[in-house]
Amino acid sequence: MLQRARRGAAVELGLIPAPVRVEGPHRCGFALDERTVLDAAPGTETTERWLRATLGPALRLPLRNAGGPDGPDSIRLRVDDTLGPEAYRLHVVLDQYVEITGGGPAGVFWGAQTLRQLLGPAAFRKAPVHPELTWGVPMVGIEDAPRFPWRGLMLDVARHFMPKDDVLRQLDLMAAHKLNVLHLHLTDDQGWRIEIKRHPRLTEVGAWRARSTWGHRASPLWNETPHGGYYTQDDIREIVAYAADRHISVVPEIDVPGHSQAAIAAYPELGNTDVIDTTALSVWDTWGVNPNVLAPTDTVLRFYEGVFEEVLDLFPAEVSPFVHIGGDECPKDQWKASPTAQARIKELGAGDEDGLQAWFVRHFDRWLAARGRRLIGWDEILEGGLTEGGLSEGAAVASWRGYAGGITAAEAGHDVVMCPEQQVYLDHRQAPGEDEPMPIGYVRTLADVYRFEPVPPGLAPEAAAHVLGTQANVWTEVMENRDRVDYQTYPRLAAFAEVAWSRLPAPEARDLAGFERRMTAHYPRLDALGVAYRPPGGPHPWQRRPGVLGRPVEGSPPNV
């Protein structure tokens, strides 16, 4: 039996996220060379392909197929269904073999990610930089399993578009940190990023804006270059397949009924035409909460049912059981002034505009459930109530305004993903001072993220069981390109990944010093992967954005 991970072992190995149990490391181990073969049992094919395609080039080793099971000089991949589906064991036997056993295909894959870390930073490159290097794995035994089944990253590609290859790169970075859910924010007022064949103007018109504000919306600076882009349906299929090969689910988000000006600009009949001239609207070129929301009409329902039909085809249920419908920040002023909206409130007996939004959410909740999918939305979807006539049993809540929405949902029996703005919004600044580029929100340091606790204290065990996990959100209003996303995301996402995966003590008892020492081993891995992270001592000169306004908030964030 392996012993629970001792502090020295975890620090010496530099593994992130920290495993549950470690034995070793011992000085000797297993050498990888031209003789090393892959011995892959059934159910381990994704890991076999990944090792050969990713680790093979870095090591310049062919990693040929083994001639038979249990031979020497092998990396053995096995499945043992007595383990949890994402659990794994990794054993290195002196001068003989490395064996990775997972409870399912995902567990084997996560074990391979640990093997890569054990090989050192050079294993994270695409080709060997020191051909004379001898590759070896220390003799260790590791047992590991995740705390949460949902370990997510939300990537906003609507405010600033990220090309497909950048999304694929993010999936590789997620896999390296054992994160398993990519939430793609595909539509917003500032852009529509997914091709819908029955509604081509969504991308012909809605994917492009004439200009963007540079910095926070209060900034007087503008980037006059038109901005846009979208993913073709084949791009989406590629992203989903690439993610599935890395045991990552992709959750598409199509925002309704707010955050919809890009769609209304493309199809004016979707807006509240009895209140404003929707034909005069264009894709929004600034940030904030937009007043132009969808009309509560049957025309809009049928339009978005058509959108979701194509979305479901692109995101198969076996890899994307959840569909996110947004549901947040929907101003009601136009509905209050709209005779059409008021007539619908009366017809439905909805009571008021909040009831009208609840009706809108419930419609798509039931529509998705009838097709074998689960709705997830931001915590505003709770505003219609959780009693009879509210959300279906399978609907889930992403709690962003704090813990409160998640607590309410979990106590009512709904699954919850905790992603409170005050704790894990990675667009928020990483340090005080003027050097932080376009500083937004509260200061959330690496240490702050490491001390984040997804399950609120005092939540009863039966309610806590509904916390599926947690998610870090990367909103891109002030992140104009990949390097800016890297800067805001890393190294904090490494700390978040450990919070999501490892069974850590209470926040005040966490070994921050040990984590920071392990990060000294992890920074060279990020360097090898080409990640433009924020250095521990502050931004490089070229990472600063002097003179570009942000919106810093002083003090400690509320724990709500």
Side-chain angles (χ1 to χ4, degrees):
M1 174 65 69
L2 301 177
Q3 300 302 309
R4 181 165 296 277
R6 56 187 174 86
R7 181 178 301 176
V11 171
E12 185 175 350
L13 292 170
L15 297 177
I16 291 177
V20 174
R21 295 182 178 89
V22 177
E23 183 182 76
H26 305 290
R27 288 185 177 276
C28 301
F30 174 74
L32 283 73
D33 55 28
E34 292 288 337
R35 298 171 299 173
T36 305
V37 294
L38 283 181
D39 175 3
T44 67
E45 293 82 5
T46 53
T47 301
E48 179 186 14
R49 287 195 300 270
W50 182 85
L51 284 168
R52 193 168 282 122
T54 303
L55 208 55
L59 278 55
R60 194 171 282 170
L61 296 177
L63 300 179
R64 299 179 184 90
N65 286 324
D70 299 334
D73 299 314
S74 59
I75 299 174
R76 302 175 183 178
L77 308 178
R78 301 288 187 263
V79 172
D80 177 355
D81 61 11
T82 64
L83 301 174
E86 292 190 281
Y88 69 90
R89 295 191 300 260
L90 188 154
H91 289 279
V92 180
V93 178
L94 177 64
D95 295 333
Q96 295 186 50
Y97 60 84
V98 176
E99 183 171 85
I100 301 171
T101 303
V108 179
F109 184 73
W110 303 132
Q113 300 305 314
T114 298
L115 172 63
R116 190 189 196 186
Q117 291 195 18
L118 292 171
L119 286 165
F124 288 78
R125 295 191 179 273
K126 295 183 183 296
V129 292
H130 300 292
E132 74 284 358
L133 193 66
T134 300
W135 297 98
V137 189
M139 194 166 72
V140 295
I142 296 173
E143 292 183 1
D144 204 5
R147 179 185 181 191
F148 293 111
W150 186 302
R151 306 180 301 279
L153 173 71
M154 193 287 306
L155 187 60
D156 171 15
V157 295
R159 273 51 176 272
H160 278 103
F161 178 66
M162 293 190 73
K164 177 201 69 178
D165 284 353
D166 286 352
V167 177
L168 300 180
R169 173 180 176 268
Q170 286 295 328
L171 289 165
D172 282 330
L173 293 173
M174 290 176 64
H177 293 84
K178 298 185 175 72
L179 298 172
N180 69 342
V181 179
L182 175 64
H183 169 182
L184 272 182
H185 184 76
L186 289 164
T187 73
D188 215 298
D189 302 300
Q190 296 87 358
W192 185 284
R193 306 294 179 216
I194 179 172
E195 178 187 27
I196 303 296
K197 291 188 180 295
R198 73 187 70 186
H199 301 307
R201 286 176 59 83
L202 286 172
T203 46
E204 291 171 359
V205 174
W208 308 94
R209 60 178 182 261
R211 63 174 189 168
S212 286
T213 189
W214 177 242
H216 182 253
R217 62 181 178 269
S219 170
L221 304 176
W222 291 84
N223 184 336
E224 297 291 346
T225 304
H227 179 83
Y230 65 92
Y231 308 110
T232 68
Q233 294 203 348
D234 279 348
D235 289 338
I236 293 292
R237 292 186 180 98
E238 181 182 356
I239 289 168
V240 170
Y242 195 86
D245 277 349
R246 285 147 184 81
H247 300 278
I248 297 172
S249 298
V250 184
V251 177
E253 181 181 354
I254 307 294
D255 249 310
V256 295
H259 289 288
S260 297
Q261 182 162 317
I264 297 168
Y267 291 94
E269 65 271 21
L270 299 176
N272 294 282
T273 57
D274 56 348
V275 176
I276 63 165
D277 178 10
T278 55
T279 64
L281 295 178
S282 59
V283 178
W284 208 26
D285 59 10
T286 189
W287 323 125
V289 178
N290 188 294
N292 296 302
V293 303
L294 297 174
T297 65
D298 290 342
T299 296
V300 169
L301 297 182
R302 301 293 89 76
F303 183 97
Y304 274 87
E305 287 171 359
V307 168
F308 281 117
E309 282 177 4
E310 295 193 26
V311 168
L312 296 191
D313 181 61
L314 296 171
F315 295 86
E318 59 270 20
V319 294
S320 297
F322 285 92
V323 175
H324 204 297
I325 58 97
D328 63 316
E329 296 180 327
C330 179
K332 309 300 192 299
D333 294 342
Q334 289 184 359
W335 288 354
K336 289 177 181 178
S338 164
T340 301
Q342 293 303 309
R344 174 125 283 186
I345 290 171
K346 184 176 181 180
E347 170 197 341
L348 296 169
D352 58 15
E353 291 76 23
D354 288 339
L356 189 58
Q357 177 169 338
W359 162 80
F360 207 109
V361 170
R362 283 197 298 269
H363 175 86
F364 287 103
D365 181 17
R366 285 153 175 72
W367 189 92
L368 288 166
R371 289 154 181 81
R373 303 301 181 96
R374 297 181 65 183
L375 177 144
I376 184 169
W378 303 114
D379 53 56
E380 285 94 330
I381 69 172
L382 297 173
E383 291 172 0
L386 292 169
T387 55
E388 184 178 355
L391 296 173
S392 66
E393 182 179 352
V397 171
S399 189
W400 77 273
R401 291 181 294 181
Y403 291 105
I407 292 170
T408 298
E411 290 177 342
H414 288 275
D415 286 341
V416 173
V417 176
M418 286 294 187
C419 49
E421 175 186 15
Q422 302 85 352
Q423 312 298 330
V424 289
Y425 269 35
L426 299 186
D427 51 322
H428 286 201
R429 59 196 173 128
Q430 303 184 65
E434 297 181 357
D435 285 343
E436 290 304 305
M438 306 185 197
I440 300 295
Y442 294 102
V443 172
R444 293 285 85 190
T445 65
L446 183 70
D448 291 328
V449 174
Y450 190 65
R451 292 191 178 106
F452 165 60
E453 173 49 49
V455 179
L459 197 63
E462 59 272 20
H466 284 287
V467 179
L468 292 177
T470 182
Q471 177 172 289
N473 291 345
V474 180
W475 299 103
T476 61
E477 289 94 335
V478 297
M479 298 183 218
E480 74 279 6
N481 56 36
R482 187 178 88 177
D483 282 355
R484 281 285 294 123
V485 171
D486 278 4
Y487 178 90
Q488 290 298 133
T489 306
Y490 291 93
R492 292 184 296 180
L493 195 66
F496 174 82
E498 183 150 311
V499 168
W501 176 277
S502 305
R503 296 182 182 275
L504 299 175
E508 63 277 5
R510 292 178 187 173
D511 184 9
L512 177 62
F515 173 75
E516 289 175 335
R517 287 195 293 273
R518 283 184 287 122
M519 280 302 301
T520 64
H522 199 62
Y523 286 119
R525 298 174 190 140
L526 297 179
D527 289 329
L529 289 166
V531 178
Y533 59 85
R534 181 189 189 276
H540 294 297
W542 57 87
Q543 292 174 322
R544 299 168 187 162
R545 297 291 188 276
V548 182
L549 287 179
R551 186 182 58 85
V553 180
E554 301 303 330
S556 299
N559 191 22
V560 293

